[in-house]
Amino acid sequence: MVSQSWTMHTLPLNCSAESLSGLPFSKIISFFSAPTFYRARFTAAKQADTFLRLDDFGKGQAFINGFNLGRYWPTAGPQKALYVPGALLKEGSNELIIFELDQSPCGNDPAAACSAVFTDVPDVGMGNSRNIAYFHH
């Protein structure tokens, strides 16, 4: 059997920081296996380049203060960390919004401590970041 009665709902992600922050967020009481937005607020001591690891998440999009950092998919790789330019961070309060497409982070326990980690170590799938391949023509 082939279905021909599909319905399509668009979700424009070319939005501003205000429209992302305006989404109706609530405390996690259960996890979903459907696409879901997650929000965390964090404090930065200063503006500095960093890398965002989302090892507990499946795949999706990451936004810092309304800026679309890009897609993540840590299990598929090779890139395991997204680059966050220091200019995107504010001294003090910042906002991270994750649009998870695949799975709930941290299993099905709302009390579990799932995390997004900021680190100064890039992980672009080449093992130690000092192992850089140089190509010559």
Side-chain angles (χ1 to χ4, degrees):
M1 180 174 147
V2 176
S3 175
Q4 296 180 350
S5 57
W6 293 96
T7 339
M8 182 176 81
H9 300 276
T10 61
L11 180 61
L13 291 178
N14 59 346
C15 43
S16 67
E18 293 80 23
S19 62
L20 279 175
S21 293
L23 292 171
F25 288 94
S26 61
K27 185 172 176 60
I28 296 174
I29 53 173
S30 65
F31 288 103
F32 303 97
S33 60
T36 307
F37 284 93
Y38 294 88
R39 178 177 62 191
R41 292 200 167 93
F42 63 96
T43 302
K46 62 180 182 174
Q47 284 186 310
D49 292 353
T50 188
F51 297 89
L52 173 64
R53 292 192 64 106
L54 296 162
D55 298 343
D56 290 336
F57 290 81
K59 67 179 173 185
Q61 298 278 134
F63 302 84
I64 295 275
N65 296 325
F67 182 85
N68 187 346
L69 287 177
R71 299 186 308 182
Y72 64 89
W73 194 355
T75 57
Q79 181 176 337
K80 305 285 185 188
L82 293 173
Y83 173 63
V84 181
L88 295 180
L89 297 175
K90 300 181 264 185
E91 278 189 37
S93 181
N94 292 271
E95 181 179 66
L96 170 63
I97 294 179
I98 303 296
F99 181 47
E100 173 60 40
L101 295 169
D102 216 12
Q103 67 188 27
S104 299
C106 314
N108 292 319
D109 182 2
C114 41
S115 61
V117 176
F118 291 94
T119 179
D120 60 353
V121 179
D123 186 346
V124 292
M126 297 167 46
N128 186 330
S129 63
R130 295 182 183 178
N131 295 335
I132 300 174
Y134 293 95
F135 295 94
H136 301 281
H137 51 62

